[in-house]
Amino acid sequence: MQHGLAHPGPGDPLLPLAQELEALSPARRRELRPLQPAGPASLLTDSSAAALLDLASNDYLGLSRHPKLQEAARQSIARDGVGAGASRLVSGSRPIHHALEQALGHWLGRERVLLYPSGFQANLAAVQALADRHSLVLADRLIHHSLLVGVQASGARLRRFRHNDLSDLEQKLKQARSNGPEPRRVLVLSESLFSMEGTCPDVAGLTELCQRHGAGLLLDEAHALGVLGSAGRGLGFGETAIQLISGTFGKAFGSSGAFLAGDAVVGDWLLQHSGPFRYTTALAPPLAAAALAALEVIQQSDVERQLLLSRAERWRAALQAAGWPRPAGYGPVLPLLVGDDQRALELQGQLEAQGLLSVAIRPPTVPSGTARLRLVLRQDLPEGSLDRLLRALGSP
Ligand SMILES: Cc1ncc(COP(=O)(O)O)c(C=O)c1O
């Protein structure tokens, strides 16, 4: 057995796990690595205290250490304590939760918002609200793992459509109604900014298609909120035919926690029936306070958003000019496709030797043969970052 672990013997319930671990190739193994924020928000240090420029985190607007968020969290700790002590439906609902839900509803033009401790949980809850074992779920081939877990938990039948391909989706929507016994409900799942691809669907087209075929639509806006769409309100903003929007505070909002936003009926259903809402301790009040402060900052960040998007365009063009495949999309996620797992790891090491942190994303997070370096832009990168990156990457 590798890594100094004792090998479970025959009949040991842990034997299948040990065998699976043994079969893992070194290029697919994951390790935990502590990184300490240091100095400006765009720097992290590792155990050797080497400073690394952060081109890996999803802190797109650099809010995780913003003084307004820190102050809001500090005040909430003093007022509310660290934890809520119970589920929202027992005694854990605080005024700060309600204030945040109201502010998000107002910002997004949605009747009802409910907070969840994480986006993973919110997605699980969202799929369970909109699909059951009599339903058919049509999901983009590259949707986030949490949505797939939601489909499994709902008991619905799953079919995948090609990434961002509305004609493939339309064909599957038509088949859903013409093949055998009709599913009671059809639900379509997509994301507004695919976190490993950098791509966005045509959200208006997607919404129209779902409406025309009587299908529900759940849009995960985890990576778009705060960054894309009108005033950073995501690409689903104004598309009221989307039944549920899922958002997280773990990306551009700079903290942690999540929410679902929809109309009054789906909101009330979640409140009455959602297990992932009911059977979990309420989002920690300091995190809710930080998210509310982040929302205020985001509402005043039009200039920063524009800078981030024009930087993203500049970086894409420069990478292409240097001979790399142009990263897809237009947002702050720039995947540099490499293909081979080991090559992606080597490239990560090569950047790190030059003080740049970007992480090799390998299967099963992405399909086999599509390992990549995921470059993530942030609003607060220092001048000269692109030149440093191009020098560190060299030619492909
Ligand atoms: C597309 C997408 N949805 C949902 C999540 C889950 O969000 P959270 O980190 O708040 O659990 C993530 C983050 O990992 C994500 O990338």
Side-chain angles (χ1 to χ4, degrees), residues 118-120 123 144 146 191 195 220 222-223 248 251:
S118 80
F120 200 109
N123 277 347
H144 193 257
S146 54
E191 297 177 22
S195 60
D220 181 342
H223 292 270
T248 170
K251 322 282 183 203

Side-chain angles (χ1 to χ4, degrees), residues 302-385:
D302 283 347
V303 173
E304 288 76 5
R305 245 187 308 279
Q306 261 326 309
L307 285 174
L308 182 66
L309 293 182
S310 44
R311 167 175 283 156
E313 172 54 32
R314 225 175 29 257
W315 283 48
R316 280 186 167 83
L319 286 163
Q320 189 175 20
W324 294 90
R326 183 186 168 89
Y330 67 97
V333 176
L334 283 70
L336 218 51
L337 275 178
V338 175
D340 177 60
D341 299 352
Q342 189 54 39
R343 172 82 185 108
L345 280 173
E346 282 162 14
L347 212 50
Q348 174 183 334
Q350 187 179 317
L351 257 59
E352 228 174 283
Q354 305 289 321
L356 303 171
L357 179 71
S358 175
V359 172
I361 307 289
R362 292 153 287 155
T365 308
V366 291
S368 234
T370 70
R372 65 203 64 186
L373 206 59
R374 179 174 181 259
L375 295 165
V376 186
L377 296 192
R378 35 191 304 141
Q379 185 268 119
D380 55 2
L381 285 176
E383 283 293 313
S385 300

